[in-house]
Amino acid sequence: MEPKTLFDKIWDAHVVDHIPDGPDVLYIDRHLIHEVTSPQAFAGIERRGVPVFRPERTVATADHNVPTKDQHLPIREELSRLQVEKLEENCQRHGITLYGLGHPYQGIVHVIGPELGLTQPGMTIVCGDSHTSTHGAFGSIAFGIGTSEVEMVLATQCILQPKPKKMRINVEGTLGKGVTAKDIILYIISQISTSGGTGYFIEYAGSAIRSLSMEGRMTLCNMSIEMGARGGLIAPDEKTIEYVRGREFAPQGEDFDRLAEEWLALATDEGAVFDKEITYDAADIEPMITYGTNPGMGIGITGTIPEPEGSEAEQASFIKALDYMAFKPGEPMLGKPVDYVFLGSCTNGRIEDLRAFTQMVRGHKKADHVTAWIVPGSHQVERQAREEGLDRILEESGFELRQPGCSACLAMNDDKIPAGKYSVSTSNRNFEGRQGPGARTMLASPLTAAAAAITGRITDPREFF
Amino acid sequence: MPREKFNILRSPFVPLPVDNVDTDQIIPARFLKATTREGFGDNLFRDWRYLPDGSPNPGFVLNKPEYGGKILVAGKNFGSGSSREHAAWAIYDYGFRVVMSSFFADIFRNNALNNGLLPVQVTPDFLEKIFTASEQDPQTELEVDLPAQTITLLATGDQESFDINPYKKECLLNGYDDIDYLLSIKEKIIAFEQQRNQ
Ligand code: SF4
């Protein structure tokens, strides 16, 4: 048999039909929805007069709009409240399970999928959210879709998709101290640019990737979309299986053992061909930080902001980005003042991220002028953090653990960075205005965020080891 | 459900020579709270189009009276970032029927096609020519011929062909909709499920 990639094995097993000269009809195993990108899809199927085809394959949560304080009170902002209510109404009417506000399973959609065992190797998983690529960490084909496609899945459990090309990115060797999964992905994006992955689905491989925990792998796959890729995935291994085992919606007992065998067999065969392959050396990666307004504008934390280069348009876009940040080419990032620190999001809002941050700030005090938002990715993460006593250590250092949601990642709720202020954020996007109109975002790992929160300026986290 | 059909479009265009226009710029997150598809055009490019006090930014191209038309021409890597289909809705709702760039982000391209908005990818050279032509004459026109898959800068006669998936082309020409198609093959989907369960 011809050797196949992990991606091809999963894709081919889900093709219901090929349209000649057109996209494939792809069957979707798991559909996740949230309040922002689903209302128009429900309205669509209702207008057509068709029911939800497989309601048991869709799971909903409210995350984008929710406040991270006083979640027991009604949402103050009217439009946010209406959107969350609309989701409740739609789920009820169509028989879809909802982990809404107040539910112990509520949280960011890409955090709760894995922790509930809804995310499993070998699956096709979609959600009306580009960071659905997170679930690829389990060896599943997971990608973000638009609302028209949400409607397709509700109506038929299928979408029309052209098969993407395949790229393998290998990271080999041992990571330096203080270098995390977040730094690996920021490094890769800085190397291949925000469009370097467009048209591809990426498989991450190599010894440095294998060494990552499941949380780290999720952080990595999460940001695949930031290089333009449809998604990223990692072959399931023993770590994957141990993570999934025993989770609420995972298969149990003998079923699980049988499936685990199948999952391990999904790995890319020796000799399988990729359209493109890149290898990086883990030793080249420093803790990373972004200086511009897209995730590709990142450098090692001890580096200096580069000079503009390329075509006239490229230079103009580069200068526009630096103007927005009020930075200049040639400046070092170390020492730049920081006003806000955000720990959270589907990129770095899991328990391991909270632990890493807490470990760093333990025994130190938050800088007085820094406002810090520590936002767990889900209620389960929050509960675990409290059980482990992380909340108390954080409090001693002047931090407060908030309630779960997307929060300052996209500032649809009240957690907005004011115009002109500098934020070190563990989220995934530093676009203009992403964290609030005029906000200036620098993306980094939880360790770099912790160092910035303590000193009040951009600081090399390795100084704390 | 049938959509507006697309055939040949001749129109002046709006130039936006900025690279990496992400969907957060096209429609900022705080305007994603609506539960219907209509009205997003009002907030298209909101933070570039309006000053912090809410008045129109005279420097932004959508506020310049000399520019208009049904075609938006932007720098490379257009539509990166969030999967929000609201970006395609906002562009369509504002009145555009074609977006042109030398490179599109994948999800945006899909979202545009799913909403009757034609993404036309041209070479960087051709894009430069288009921008130059509009500097000389803001009213200069483009012709987008979907059946022939060509794009012509009418003032100079410069022409390029563009790619589109044949299936998507049929959909646009005839106003077909993917969901109608998927619903029409439901038997196949059920057969697929049964086969998998065995
Ligand atoms: S945390 Fe941010 S990136 Fe993740 S789902 Fe929420 S808004 Fe999107």
Side-chain angles (χ1 to χ4, degrees):
Chain A
M1 267 210 317
E2 210 186 307
K4 277 178 123 183
T5 65
L6 163 66
F7 177 82
D8 282 331
K9 290 181 194 178
I10 304 172
W11 182 281
D12 294 350
H14 288 85
V15 173
V16 174
D17 203 4
H18 297 280
I19 302 177
D21 282 335
D24 286 343
V25 177
L26 194 69
Y27 191 81
I28 301 303
D29 294 321
R30 187 76 75 207
H31 183 209
L32 305 168
I33 60 173
H34 60 82
E35 76 275 21
V36 181
T37 55
S38 66
Q40 293 87 352
F42 282 109
I45 58 164
E46 285 173 10
R47 211 171 43 228
R48 288 168 203 271
V50 300
V52 174
F53 180 54
R54 295 289 180 244
E56 69 281 6
R57 289 190 178 271
T58 295
V59 173
T61 190
D63 54 5
H64 282 62
N65 271 298
V66 304
T68 54
K69 282 216 142 207
D70 298 331
Q71 282 187 353
H72 59 288
L73 300 175
I75 302 179
R76 278 204 313 257
E77 214 230 353
E78 193 192 352
L79 287 175
S80 292
R81 194 180 67 242
L82 288 177
Q83 216 172 39
V84 171
E85 285 171 3
K86 193 82 195 168
L87 180 70
E88 285 165 14
E89 214 179 284
N90 282 329
C91 287
Q92 198 162 39
R93 190 161 43 220
H94 294 281
I96 290 170
T97 303
L98 166 70
Y99 301 127
L101 267 189
H103 193 284
Y105 291 168
Q106 181 266 339
I108 304 173
V109 62
H110 311 309
V111 176
I112 70 167
E115 77 189 2
L116 292 172
L118 291 164
T119 303
Q120 294 161 26
M123 280 185 161
T124 49
I125 303 174
V126 295
C127 171
D129 188 285
S130 53
H131 294 98
T132 308
S133 58
T134 313
H135 309 261
F138 290 81
S140 59
I141 291 184
F143 55 93
I145 56 176
T147 299
S148 296
E149 293 165 316
V150 173
E151 189 178 338
M152 288 178 208
V153 180
L154 290 175
T156 68
Q157 205 56 41
C158 288
I159 56 171
L160 292 167
Q161 279 297 296
K163 193 171 180 179
K165 292 182 286 184
K166 285 153 296 180
M167 188 190 313
R168 180 156 63 187
I169 297 182
N170 307 293
V171 185
E172 300 287 357
T174 313
L175 291 169
K177 67 176 184 187
V179 179
T180 68
K182 181 64 164 288
D183 302 300
I184 302 180
I185 190 66
L186 285 173
Y187 176 81
I188 295 173
I189 303 167
S190 77
Q191 298 295 306
I192 80 169
S193 91
T194 51
S195 57
T198 305
Y200 292 94
F201 221 94
I202 295 176
E203 178 176 345
Y204 299 99
S207 54
I209 305 293
R210 293 260 81 102
S211 76
L212 296 174
S213 65
M214 288 315 293
E215 277 91 349
R217 294 178 189 185
M218 285 187 249
T219 302
L220 185 83
C221 290
N222 173 275
M223 288 188 72
S224 304
I225 181 71
E226 307 307 336
M227 55 183 121
R230 280 308 254 138
L233 75 178
I234 297 173
D237 60 9
E238 288 301 330
K239 276 187 206 170
T240 321
I241 287 166
E242 284 322 305
Y243 185 99
V244 178
R245 190 191 297 277
R247 296 205 176 246
E248 170 131 20
F249 295 101
Q252 311 288 338
E254 277 172 27
D255 276 352
F256 184 86
D257 297 334
R258 184 177 46 80
L259 277 166
E261 292 287 309
E262 289 178 23
W263 294 340
L264 290 173
L266 288 171
T268 292
D269 299 329
E270 194 77 42
V273 185
F274 289 83
D275 299 286
K276 190 168 180 180
E277 183 142 13
I278 310 178
T279 300
Y280 296 110
D281 184 351
D284 290 342
I285 309 176
E286 268 203 290
M288 296 285 294
I289 185 117
T290 65
Y291 56 87
T293 58
N294 71 56
M297 299 176 84
I299 47 173
I301 195 152
T302 60
T304 53
I305 298 173
E307 300 290 330
E309 53 178 48
S311 71
E312 217 176 291
E314 279 163 351
Q315 297 202 17
S317 302
F318 184 89
I319 290 166
K320 183 172 180 290
L322 286 198
D323 283 348
Y324 182 86
M325 296 298 290
F327 289 163
K328 295 217 165 42
E331 288 176 353
M333 288 302 288
L334 284 176
K336 285 199 176 298
V338 172
D339 307 298
Y340 283 76
V341 169
F342 171 54
L343 179 84
S345 87
C346 59
T347 314
N348 282 126
R350 282 172 283 270
I351 189 68
E352 195 173 272
D353 303 308
L354 286 171
R355 284 188 199 131
F357 186 96
T358 308
Q359 195 82 36
M360 278 279 281
V361 301
R362 182 179 209 139
H364 298 277
K365 286 271 181 250
K366 177 181 80 59
D368 283 342
H369 70 274
V370 169
T371 305
W373 291 324
I374 315 297
V375 184
S378 71
H379 270 298
Q380 299 215 74
V381 171
E382 181 190 355
R383 208 188 44 222
Q384 192 174 349
R386 291 188 193 283
E387 275 168 18
E388 293 180 15
L390 302 184
D391 55 329
R392 285 193 309 277
I393 303 172
L394 285 168
E395 256 164 51
E396 281 164 19
S397 297
F399 298 92
E400 171 202 20
L401 189 62
R402 296 171 78 96
Q403 290 176 302
C406 293
S407 179
C409 175
L410 93 167
M412 270 185 92
N413 69 352
D414 295 331
D415 307 341
K416 293 182 177 49
I417 313 289
K421 295 291 183 196
Y422 289 98
S423 147
V424 173
S425 178
T426 64
S427 56
N428 42 55
R429 286 185 174 143
N430 50 350
F431 298 147
E432 285 183 31
R434 171 79 177 185
Q435 296 196 289
R440 292 167 170 157
T441 303
M442 296 171 280
L443 301 175
S445 75
L447 296 180
T448 304
I454 298 162
T455 62
R457 51 195 161 73
I458 303 294
T459 303
D460 190 334
R462 292 170 294 192
E463 283 176 23
F464 285 80
F465 294 145
Chain B
M1 267 179 266
R3 301 177 170 279
E4 210 178 299
K5 296 180 185 174
F6 193 107
N7 203 284
I8 296 177
L9 174 71
R10 188 179 170 153
S11 166
F13 58 92
V14 173
L16 185 66
V18 180
D19 290 352
N20 302 318
V21 174
D22 58 72
T23 52
D24 274 81
Q25 304 320 315
I26 299 171
I27 183 93
R30 59 190 190 281
F31 300 111
L32 304 185
K33 296 182 183 184
T35 51
T36 64
R37 281 176 190 245
E38 290 75 34
F40 288 101
D42 293 345
N43 293 312
L44 175 66
F45 296 117
R46 177 75 199 202
D47 291 342
W48 288 344
R49 195 165 144 201
Y50 296 96
L51 297 169
D53 67 5
S55 64
N57 173 2
F60 187 63
V61 66
L62 289 187
N63 297 321
K64 293 184 181 169
E66 62 272 32
Y67 292 103
K70 295 186 166 186
I71 303 173
L72 175 67
V73 185
K76 76 161 187 245
N77 198 24
F78 186 84
S80 56
S82 150
S83 61
R84 60 188 70 159
E85 193 161 315
H86 312 69
W89 299 338
I91 294 172
Y92 191 94
D93 190 58
Y94 185 85
F96 293 115
R97 293 296 173 268
V98 173
V99 203
M100 211 172 284
S101 171
S102 56
F103 199 90
F104 287 98
D106 276 340
I107 303 186
F108 177 80
R109 185 199 296 268
N110 264 347
N111 285 343
L113 286 166
N114 285 339
N115 286 279
L117 178 68
L118 175 63
V120 173
Q121 185 163 330
V122 296
T123 61
D125 282 350
F126 195 73
L127 193 67
E128 273 310 307
K129 278 187 193 150
I130 298 175
F131 285 140
T132 311
S134 82
E135 276 169 30
Q136 284 157 3
D137 174 12
Q139 294 301 314
T140 195
E141 290 190 323
L142 287 166
E143 186 178 276
V144 181
D145 184 333
L146 178 58
Q149 291 179 224
T150 57
I151 153 101
T152 312
L153 184 56
L154 292 172
T156 62
D158 278 298
Q159 193 181 69
E160 251 190 22
S161 52
F162 63 86
D163 274 347
I164 180 169
N165 180 289
Y167 167 83
K168 282 293 177 188
K169 179 175 171 180
E170 278 305 293
C171 289
L172 279 178
L173 286 172
N174 299 299
Y176 294 155
D177 158 291
D178 282 339
I179 303 178
D180 286 341
Y181 171 76
L182 284 174
L183 286 167
S184 76
I185 60 159
K186 221 161 190 179
E187 293 310 314
K188 271 194 185 168
I189 300 173
I190 293 171
F192 174 88
E193 286 179 327
Q194 284 166 348
Q195 188 205 336
R196 268 209 336 169
N197 284 341
Q198 276 162 17

